[in-house]
C-alpha cells in the first residue's frame, strides 16, 4: 500500500473524492440513459407497485426483507468463519476472497439497487409470472406471495441474489474483524488446556466476538435500507405520466439519494470500526 | 537431588535433533535431550534464545503458528508426538501456563471447572470436588472459597496466575509446562509459584522456562542453557550452576553474558 492511500493529506483527500465522484458519474450516466429510454410498461416493478393496499404491501416487503437479510447475514457469517478460522492466512482462496470483499464492500449500495432492477429482475422471469397473475385480475401482495410460495421461487432467488451481493461482503468484513479482535492469549490458553477447535470456537471465540458480529450485521442491514431508497424511487417513477417522462420530484429524489449514498459510503469508510489490513 | 540415580529411567519426553524455523528464520538448532519423569527441568537463557519456541514445541502449540516448520523428533512416552493427528489429546496430557494470567469468562469456579470439563468430567459433584482439590493444591482455597461465584478479575495478579495453574491442573496433565510464569509477578508472589512448582513433582513432570538464573537454580533438578537457539549445556542444576563445562554457560550463570 503506498503512502497516498495510508495517510492522505486534505488536498489528496479532496482529489481522491473527486476521482471517486467522476467514477460514480461515469457509472451512473449510462444507467441513467437506459432508464430514460425504458418505457414505463417495461418497468418490472410497476405492476407490483399498483397494489391497492399500501399497508399490506409494506408488511409483505418487511417480511421478505427480514427473512432474506437473515439468510444473507447467516451466509456471510459462515463464510467469514470459514475464511478466518479454517483457512491459513497464506491460502490463495482466502486472499482472493478477501480482496474481492474489500472491493465489493466499498461500492455504494445504490448501485446494487440499480443492478437488481436492471439485470436480476428482468432476467429472472418474474415479470412474466406477475403479468400472468395480474391478467387474472388478481393483483396484489397476497397473490405475489402465493406465486412465490406455490412452487415458484424465482422472485425469492432474485432478491436473495441482490441481498447476498450487497450484504455479504460487508458482513464478511466485519465478522472477520470481530474474530481477529478475540485476544490470542485466550485462544492459546484454551488450546493449551487441551480444548478442541470447536470447543474453543463455541466457548471462547463466539461469545467474545458476538456483539461485534451483531453490529456488523446491523451495519450491513442499514446499507440494504439505503438500497431500498432506490426501489421507492422506482415506485414513484411507476406513478409518473404514461409518456415516460421523468417527473421533477423523481429526478430530485434520485439525485438526492445518489448524493446521500456517496456521502454515506465515504462516512462508513471513514468511521468504520474495521481495521484495514496492511498486507 | 542426585541425577545419577535416574539416568537409567526412560525419559517421559525425548527430543532428537530438533530444528525449528519460523519462515526462513531458524529458531532452534539441532536440540537433543530427555526430560525425566517427576523432575523439574528448567530452561534458562537470555531473551530470544528460543526458550518459548522450545516449550511450545513440546505440547504442539506451535501448530497454530503460521510458517512453522521443523525437522527432528519429539517422543512422549516412547511415541512420536507429531505422528498423531489428535493434537488435543497431546495438550490434555501436556499442559501449559503462560507468562500473563489469562482468565476466561465466568466465575472463579467456572474457570477451574473448565479444566475438569475438558478432561471429560461432567457431573457437578465431581466438578466441585475437582475445583476444591486443585484450589487447595495451589493454596488458593482459603482465599477464594467464599467468592467462588465472583469474577476472577478482582484477584491480584499472583492469585490470578495461581488460578491458571489450578485450571491447568484440573485437566490432570502428566507434564506441566511453565513459560516464564513469574514474568509479571512481584517477589512474594514469585515465591508462592516456586514453592508450588516444587510440590507439583509429587505426581507431575514440570518443564520451566525462565530468564531468571537464580529462579532456575532454586526450582529445578535439571537445567538446560539455551543461547541463540542452541542447547549449550544440559545437565543437573547443581553442576550447571557450580561447575559448568562450557565457557558461555559459566559466563551466563555468573552474570557476564546475556
Amino acid at each position: 500500500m503506498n503512502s497516498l492511500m495510508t495517510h492522505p493529506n486534505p488536498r489528496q483527500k479532496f482529489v481522491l473524492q473527486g476521482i471517486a465522484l467522476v467514477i460514480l458519474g461515469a457509472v451512473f450516466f449510462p444507467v441513467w440513459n437506459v432508464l430514460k429510454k425504458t418505457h414505463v410498461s417495461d418497468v418490472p416493478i410497476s405492476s407490483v407497485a399498483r397494489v391497492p393496499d399500501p399497508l399490506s404491501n409494506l408488511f409483505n416487503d418487511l417480511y421478505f426483507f427480514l427473512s432474506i437479510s437473515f439468510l444473507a447475514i447467516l451466509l456471510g457469517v459462515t463464510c467469514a468463519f470459514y475464511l478466518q478460522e479454517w483457512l491459513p492466512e497464506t491460502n490463495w482462496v482466502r486472499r482472493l476472497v478477501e480482496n474481492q470483499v474489500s472491493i465489493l464492500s466499498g461500492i455504494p449500495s445504490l448501485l446494487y439497487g440499480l443492478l437488481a432492477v436492471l439485470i436480476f429482475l428482468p432476467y429472472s422471469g418474474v415479470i412474466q409470472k406477475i403479468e400472468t397473475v395480474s391478467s387474472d385480475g388478481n393483483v396484489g401482495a397476497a397473490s405475489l406471495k402465493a406465486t412465490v410460495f406455490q412452487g415458484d421461487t424465482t422472485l425469492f432467488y432474485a432478491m436473495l441474489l441482490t441481498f447476498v451481493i450487497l450484504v455479504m461482503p460487508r458482513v464478511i468484513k466485519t465478522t472477520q474483524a470481530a474474530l481477529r479482535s478475540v485476544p490470542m492469549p485466550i485462544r492459546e490458553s484454551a488450546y493449551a488446556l487441551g480444548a478442541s477447535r470447536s470447543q474453543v470456537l463455541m466457548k471462547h471465540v463466539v461469545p467474545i466476538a458476538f456483539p461485534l458480529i451483531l453490529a456488523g450485521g446491523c451495519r450491513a442491514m442499514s446499507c440494504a435500507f439505503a438500497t431500498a431508497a432506490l426501489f421507492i424511487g422506482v415506485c414513484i417513477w411507476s406513478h409518473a405520466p404514461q409518456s415516460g417522462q421523468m417527473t421533477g420530484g423523481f429526478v430530485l429524489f434520485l439525485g438526492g439519494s445518489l448524493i446521500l449514498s456517496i456521502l454515506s459510503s465515504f462516512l462508513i469508510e471513514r468511521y468504520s470500526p474495521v481495521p484495514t489490513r496492511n498486507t | 537431588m542426585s541425577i545419577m540415580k535416574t539416568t537409567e529411567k526412560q525419559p517421559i519426553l525425548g527430543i532428537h535433533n530438533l530444528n525449528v524455523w519460523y519462515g526462513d528464520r531458524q529458531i532452534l538448532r539441532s536440540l537433543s535431550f530427555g526430560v525425566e519423569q517427576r523432575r523439574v527441568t528448567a530452561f534458562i537463557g537470555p531473551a530470544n534464545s528460543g526458550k518459548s519456541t522450545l516449550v511450545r514445541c513440546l505440547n504442539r502449540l506451535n501448530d497454530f503458528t503460521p510458517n512453522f516448520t521443523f525437522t527432528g523428533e519429539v517422543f512422549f512416552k516412547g511415541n512420536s508426538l507429531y505422528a498423531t493427528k489428535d493434537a488435543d489429546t497431546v495438550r490434555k496430557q501436556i499442559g501449559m501456563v503462560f507468562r500473563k494470567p489469562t482468565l476466561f469468562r465466568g466465575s472463579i469456579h467456572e474457570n477451574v471447572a473448565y479444566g475438569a470439563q475438558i478432561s471429560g468430567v461432567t457431573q457437578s459433584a465431581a466438578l466441585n470436588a475437582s475445583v476444591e482439590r486443585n484450589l487447595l493444591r495451589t493454596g488458593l482455597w482459603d482465599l477464594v472459597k467464599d467468592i467462588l461465584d465472583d469474577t476472577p478479575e478482582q484477584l491480584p495478579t499472583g492469585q490470578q496466575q495461581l488460578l491458571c495453574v489450578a485450571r491447568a491442573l484440573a485437566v490432570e496433565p502428566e507434564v506441566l509446562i511453565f513459560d516464564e510464569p513469574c514474568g509479571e509477578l512481584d517477589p512474594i508472589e514469585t515465591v508462592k509459584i516456586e514453592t508450588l512448582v516444587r510440590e507439583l513433582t509429587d505426581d507431575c513432570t514440570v518443564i520451566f522456562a525462565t530468564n531468571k538464573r537464580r529462579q532456575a537454580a532454586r526450582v529445578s533438578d535439571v537445567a538446560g542453557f539455551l543461547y541463540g537457539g542452541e542447547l549449550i549445556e544440559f545437565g543437573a542444576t547443581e553442576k550447571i550452576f557450580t561447575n559448568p563445562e562450557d565457557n558461555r554457560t559459566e559466563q551466563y550463570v555468573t552474570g557476564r553474558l546475556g
Side-chain angles (χ1 to χ4, degrees):
Chain A
M1 205 179 259
N2 59 35
S3 58
L4 185 76
M5 293 305 288
T6 44
H7 300 291
N9 64 33
R11 184 182 288 176
Q12 283 170 334
K13 223 181 229 174
F14 186 73
V15 171
L16 280 176
Q17 291 181 355
I19 293 170
L21 271 174
V22 168
I23 293 172
L24 279 175
V27 175
F28 178 70
F29 280 107
V31 176
W32 175 262
N33 281 330
V34 175
L35 276 176
K36 268 209 302 204
K37 281 174 197 150
T38 318
H39 292 291
V40 173
S41 55
D42 297 339
V43 175
I45 307 290
S46 57
S47 53
V48 186
R50 264 187 249 109
V51 171
D53 184 3
L55 203 64
S56 75
N57 198 23
L58 182 74
F59 279 117
N60 199 41
D61 282 354
L62 262 180
Y63 174 75
F64 269 124
F65 180 79
L66 286 178
S67 58
I68 288 176
S69 57
F70 177 73
L71 265 177
I73 288 175
L74 206 67
L75 265 172
V77 169
T78 317
C79 185
F81 263 88
Y82 178 66
L83 286 179
Q84 187 69 25
E85 299 291 326
W86 268 269
L87 292 182
E89 236 168 88
T90 45
N91 187 292
W92 68 272
V93 174
R94 178 172 164 178
R95 268 160 52 195
L96 186 79
V97 173
E98 279 179 354
N99 286 339
Q100 297 306 312
V101 159
S102 52
I103 291 168
L104 283 177
S105 61
I107 296 174
S109 51
L110 186 68
L111 295 180
Y112 287 113
L114 289 176
L115 182 80
V117 170
L118 293 174
I119 296 170
F120 286 156
L121 281 182
Y123 287 99
S124 65
V126 175
I127 310 148
Q128 284 78 24
K129 298 286 181 294
I130 293 170
E131 274 166 3
T132 326
V133 176
S134 56
S135 64
D136 302 341
N138 197 8
V139 191
S143 68
L144 182 63
K145 204 164 144 189
T147 321
V148 170
F149 288 104
Q150 275 165 10
D152 182 36
T153 48
T154 2
L155 177 66
F156 181 77
Y157 284 127
M159 286 175 81
L160 183 62
L161 206 56
T162 318
F163 261 77
V164 162
I165 294 177
L166 167 67
V167 170
M168 245 176 83
R170 290 153 214 263
V171 172
I172 289 175
K173 217 174 157 185
T174 44
T175 307
Q176 275 197 302
L179 292 176
R180 267 198 296 273
S181 76
V182 176
M184 200 58 196
I186 296 274
R187 287 170 189 258
E188 281 196 333
S189 302
Y191 278 126
L193 289 176
S196 65
R197 181 173 238 158
S198 56
Q199 280 172 325
V200 173
L201 217 58
M202 292 316 293
K203 189 96 183 173
H204 303 286
V205 175
V206 171
I208 294 172
F210 188 72
L212 282 172
I213 294 174
L214 208 63
C218 289
R219 220 177 118 234
M221 293 271 274
S222 53
C223 289
F225 271 121
T227 320
L230 182 88
F231 290 106
I232 298 169
V234 173
C235 283
I236 293 173
W237 188 18
S238 70
H239 291 296
Q242 282 294 312
S243 61
Q245 291 289 312
M246 298 281 176
T247 57
F250 174 61
V251 173
L252 206 68
F253 177 83
L254 203 59
S257 57
L258 181 71
I259 290 167
L260 264 181
S261 171
I262 294 166
L263 201 70
S264 70
S265 70
F266 274 124
L267 285 178
I268 287 173
E269 286 308 307
R270 177 71 183 77
Y271 296 106
S272 161
V274 182
T276 45
R277 287 160 55 79
N278 294 321
T279 48
Chain B
M1 233 162 282
S2 96
I3 184 82
M4 298 310 289
K5 278 183 202 162
T6 50
T7 39
E8 293 86 15
K9 267 171 68 179
Q10 174 80 17
I12 188 163
L13 271 166
I15 287 87
H16 294 296
N17 202 15
L18 183 71
N19 288 283
V20 171
W21 291 265
Y22 287 155
D24 294 334
R25 207 154 54 92
Q26 188 167 6
I27 309 293
L28 297 177
R29 292 161 202 276
S30 50
L31 306 190
S32 298
F33 59 90
V35 175
E36 284 162 43
Q37 212 156 6
R38 296 189 191 172
R39 298 266 167 211
V40 180
T41 306
F43 288 99
I44 51 172
N48 297 323
S49 56
K51 303 185 294 290
S52 292
T53 307
L54 172 61
V55 294
R56 287 164 67 95
C57 282
L58 301 183
N59 70 345
R60 292 192 60 171
L61 210 55
N62 270 336
D63 290 13
F64 302 107
T65 314
N67 301 326
F68 165 73
T69 46
F70 77 102
T71 60
E73 278 288 357
V74 180
F75 291 103
F76 177 58
K77 296 202 285 190
N79 301 316
S80 177
L81 201 66
Y82 283 83
T84 170
K85 277 199 162 185
D86 190 7
D88 305 332
T89 312
V90 168
R91 290 189 210 103
K92 276 176 203 165
Q93 292 166 322
I94 308 176
M96 192 158 181
V97 175
F98 297 87
R99 177 190 170 93
K100 258 187 126 156
T102 29
L103 306 166
F104 294 156
R105 293 151 57 89
S107 64
I108 294 172
H109 182 278
E110 280 167 354
N111 261 275
V112 183
Y114 184 70
Q117 280 166 347
I118 290 280
S119 67
V121 181
T122 48
Q123 288 176 328
S124 67
L127 281 177
N128 291 340
S130 168
V131 169
E132 184 175 346
R133 189 173 63 247
N134 289 299
L135 285 176
L136 271 173
R137 213 169 163 194
T138 49
L140 270 181
W141 178 250
D142 289 332
L143 296 165
V144 301
K145 67 181 174 194
D146 298 325
I147 51 166
L148 279 178
D149 292 329
D150 290 1
T151 160
E153 264 129 36
Q154 53 178 319
L155 299 174
T157 324
Q159 290 177 22
Q160 288 185 7
Q161 188 67 299
L162 286 170
L163 188 69
C164 291
V165 179
R167 189 178 63 198
L169 285 173
V171 192
E172 292 173 4
E174 292 179 47
V175 181
L176 193 55
I177 299 170
F178 289 82
D179 187 6
E180 286 192 43
C182 308
E184 309 252 321
L185 308 185
D186 70 21
I188 295 169
E189 291 167 333
T190 303
V191 170
K192 278 187 192 161
I193 296 272
E194 286 172 8
T195 320
L196 175 63
V197 166
R198 290 296 332 164
E199 286 166 3
L200 286 183
T201 48
D202 291 346
D203 61 355
C204 194
T205 309
V206 176
I207 296 170
F208 198 94
T210 177
N211 55 12
K212 294 176 186 148
R213 310 168 182 92
R214 290 176 187 284
Q215 187 173 47
R218 284 192 297 267
V219 163
S220 64
D221 305 310
V222 182
F225 172 53
L226 275 167
Y227 187 68
E230 286 176 64
L231 189 63
I232 306 291
E233 200 164 342
F234 188 78
T237 304
E238 280 177 37
K239 189 171 180 302
I240 293 271
F241 279 90
T242 54
N243 187 23
E245 278 172 17
D246 196 284
N247 197 21
R248 285 168 290 182
T249 314
E250 192 192 350
Q251 285 183 337
Y252 184 74
V253 297
T254 52
R256 279 178 284 158
L257 179 72

